[in-house]
Amino acid sequence: YAKKVIFPVVAVTIISIIIPLFTYINMPKGTILSFFSVCLLSLTSVALTIYVVGISKNERTRLNNFINQKIHR
């Protein structure tokens, strides 16, 4: 259970926070640009980390097939 559930969740949480946190620290505070930049980077970082670390090879294959079906309709 821990290897299949807990480890991926912890790994995604830790890895996906790095880029948005770095951006947040280095951008000027209180601007709308910094807000949207951090939000966009957070969403992208979480999605990519889940894809690479958080799901199994079988789940990744199923997701790729689903996306390809939607694109090639």
Side-chain angles (χ1 to χ4, degrees), residues 38-69:
V38 171
C39 287
L40 181 63
L41 282 171
S42 295
L43 289 171
T44 305
S45 179
V46 168
L48 288 174
T49 307
I50 288 172
Y51 183 80
V52 173
V53 177
I55 61 176
S56 67
K57 186 175 181 179
N58 182 34
E59 292 167 330
R60 204 173 303 123
T61 301
R62 289 177 57 193
L63 180 61
N64 288 341
N65 291 338
F66 176 78
I67 292 170
N68 284 332
Q69 285 177 346

Side-chain angles (χ1 to χ4, degrees), residues 2-73:
K3 184 179 178 183
K4 290 187 177 185
V5 176
I6 303 298
F7 174 72
V9 169
V10 171
V12 166
T13 302
I14 292 170
I15 294 169
S16 66
I17 200 169
I18 294 171
I19 293 173
L21 183 61
F22 180 77
T23 304
Y24 175 76
I25 291 170
N26 290 310
M27 287 196 76
K29 308 295 184 276
T31 65
I32 196 77
L33 177 62
S34 64
F35 171 75
F36 283 115
S37 296
V38 171
C39 287
L40 181 63
L41 282 171
S42 295
L43 289 171
T44 305
S45 179
V46 168
L48 288 174
T49 307
I50 288 172
Y51 183 80
V52 173
V53 177
I55 61 176
S56 67
K57 186 175 181 179
N58 182 34
E59 292 167 330
R60 204 173 303 123
T61 301
R62 289 177 57 193
L63 180 61
N64 288 341
N65 291 338
F66 176 78
I67 292 170
N68 284 332
Q69 285 177 346
K70 294 298 178 183
I71 290 174
H72 297 302
R73 269 190 155 184

